[in-house]
Amino acid sequence: MRIGELAERAGTTTRALRYYESRGLLPARRAVNGYRTYDEDDLRLLQQIRTLQDFGFDLEETRPFVDCLRAGHPAGDSCPASLAVYRAKLGELDTLIDQLQSVRAQVGAQLARAELEARAAIPGGPEPRCELTYGREDE
């Protein structure tokens, strides 16, 4: 198939395919007329790349999966290098989840404090001062 058909079937653009080719992730085969040619294996490579990118893998992290498919494995994630990338990505995700849980706890504590202050406000009393402007002399 030609580049336009492959792009359409893979749900991407011809520009992206040329970029993948320049990075060595997609083979650069040419027909006698000079047109790029692709086959079903190339479509599988692209599907693997796009799935991994949807999961948050950067383009270079997809290389071991592509290499695994090119080596003849039916799944691009059954090779040791692919498994190592999976493990590293899980570690990154665990770190990010920990950071987000910490931020969530801080925001929750701020909300609880703010709700307590709001309930404690005396009707008709002075207007509460915003923490962001508290202590500024020019206001």
Side-chain angles (χ1 to χ4, degrees):
M1 73 188 89
R2 290 181 38 193
I3 193 168
E5 182 183 351
L6 180 63
E8 185 177 328
R9 289 184 62 192
T12 191
T13 64
T14 57
R15 183 178 178 186
L17 298 183
R18 285 190 285 277
Y19 180 69
Y20 296 159
E21 181 182 305
S22 74
R23 299 295 305 264
L25 294 169
L26 196 60
R29 291 186 303 270
R30 301 262 181 182
V32 291
N33 59 7
Y35 292 137
R36 290 173 169 87
T37 62
Y38 303 96
D39 58 25
E40 293 299 318
D41 289 338
D42 299 322
L43 179 60
R44 282 189 30 224
L45 290 176
L46 282 172
Q47 289 168 334
Q48 180 80 65
I49 291 169
R50 304 233 344 128
T51 297
L52 292 168
Q53 287 189 307
D54 288 346
F55 291 160
F57 289 69
D58 67 36
L59 192 56
E60 198 53 40
E61 288 173 320
T62 69
R63 188 172 302 280
F65 298 86
V66 169
D67 292 343
C68 190
L69 284 170
R70 283 186 180 153
H73 294 272
D77 58 3
S78 60
C79 296
S82 302
L83 296 172
V85 172
Y86 272 153
R87 286 185 197 99
K89 183 56 74 175
L90 280 176
E92 290 173 20
L93 292 171
D94 288 341
T95 298
L96 184 57
I97 289 167
D98 290 345
Q99 291 170 346
L100 289 172
Q101 286 176 331
S102 174
V103 170
R104 186 186 191 291
Q106 292 172 21
V107 170
Q110 287 291 95
L111 173 62
R113 182 205 42 80
E115 288 175 334
L116 280 174
E117 286 181 9
R119 282 196 297 268
I122 301 170
E127 190 69 24
R129 293 172 29 171
C130 177
E131 289 181 25
L132 296 176
T133 59
Y134 182 74
R136 290 183 59 182
E137 299 297 325
D138 58 352
E139 295 185 8

